[in-house]
Amino acid sequence: MDLLERLWTRATAEAPLPPAVVAGAAVVALVVVASPALWRPTRTAVTIAHEGAHGLAALATGRRLAGIRLHSDTSGLTVSAGRPTGPGMVLTCAAGYLGPALFGLGAAALLATGHAVGVLWAVLALLALLLLQIRNFFGLWAVLATGAVVAGVTAWLPAEGQAAFAAAVTWFLLLAAPRTVLELQSARRRRRAPDSDADQLARLTGLPALLWVGLFLLVDVAALALAAWWLLPR
């Protein structure tokens, strides 16, 4: 019980997060997302959030999660069992491209209330849950490596450093989400993604795939704008 109390105290501790640090973290995240050299090795983190969102949506809608795979080309696959059509399947399929932005928005809410350190502990908890569903070696390595980085930050950096890292992670998710949607549409335009989430949703609902791409982008940009309203000085 003492250990749990200490962990809870650390996870809920408030950490100073000056506006300049928040803005600096946003700039760092933007550079990472905009730079091809940096985007490629960090994109797997977005795939982790994408597939994790599929998995959470599957469980929330009563489907049985059968496993998650992450691949070295930054793609992924989440398999769930249940009705092949219907609202549960639609929500599960739609969650992927919305997940990183919504995770980022939730993290921004914690930052805005002074609980930046809690962002990192929430990430660790979600990674631990995801690890139980990973079904391939690369996915196992990717989740463990990501968790090790976050755990190292919580163990070795002071509260101010943890808060700055949490802000960078938050902005990275928020900025990366729209980019992945633009990449999706680019792949669709070149006919390289016939079974993308948007195309699966089109088959499930009868609505055009381009409409789903537009919805993904709208929600992701709205999440980014709302987080910026909460976090950036005005």
Side-chain angles (χ1 to χ4, degrees):
M1 289 300 294
D2 289 342
L3 176 61
L4 291 177
E5 288 179 3
R6 288 198 298 270
L7 290 176
W8 178 254
T9 299
R10 291 183 60 186
T12 57
E14 295 189 13
L17 194 59
V21 174
V22 177
V27 172
V28 170
L30 180 60
V31 169
V32 172
V33 172
S35 168
L38 297 174
W39 172 245
R40 173 70 184 186
T42 56
R43 196 187 187 286
T44 295
V46 189
T47 304
I48 289 173
H50 179 112
E51 300 303 331
H54 279 313
L56 286 175
L59 293 174
T61 56
R63 299 179 62 80
R64 184 174 62 82
L65 190 57
I68 295 174
R69 293 175 176 268
L70 306 172
H71 304 132
S72 58
D73 63 356
T74 73
S75 65
L77 176 66
T78 298
V79 179
S80 63
R83 287 186 57 193
T85 58
M89 187 62 193
V90 170
L91 289 173
T92 299
C93 195
Y97 281 99
L98 303 179
L102 296 181
F103 288 143
L105 188 61
L110 288 175
L111 292 179
T113 57
H115 294 92
V117 176
V119 171
L120 302 183
W121 286 88
V123 169
L124 286 174
L126 290 172
L127 288 174
L129 292 175
L130 179 64
L131 194 61
L132 300 176
Q133 296 296 331
I134 294 296
R135 296 294 184 266
N136 68 324
F137 179 77
F138 180 83
L140 180 67
W141 176 87
V143 174
L144 286 175
T146 304
V149 170
V150 178
V153 169
T154 62
W156 295 320
L157 289 187
E160 294 82 359
Q162 294 181 49
F165 185 82
V169 169
T170 300
W171 285 117
F172 174 75
L173 290 172
L174 290 164
L175 291 165
R179 172 161 184 172
T180 61
V181 177
L182 296 176
E183 289 178 344
L184 164 67
Q185 182 54 25
S186 176
R188 291 188 65 256
R189 189 166 55 247
R190 296 196 302 270
R191 301 180 184 277
R192 293 175 55 185
D195 293 318
S196 71
D197 291 355
D199 291 281
Q200 292 181 54
L201 285 164
R203 292 192 287 271
L204 286 167
T205 65
L207 299 175
L210 187 60
L211 180 63
W212 285 104
V213 173
L215 178 62
F216 295 157
L217 189 60
L218 177 64
V219 172
D220 289 353
V221 170
L224 174 60
L226 181 56
W229 175 262
W230 287 344
L231 298 176
L232 293 179
R234 296 185 293 278

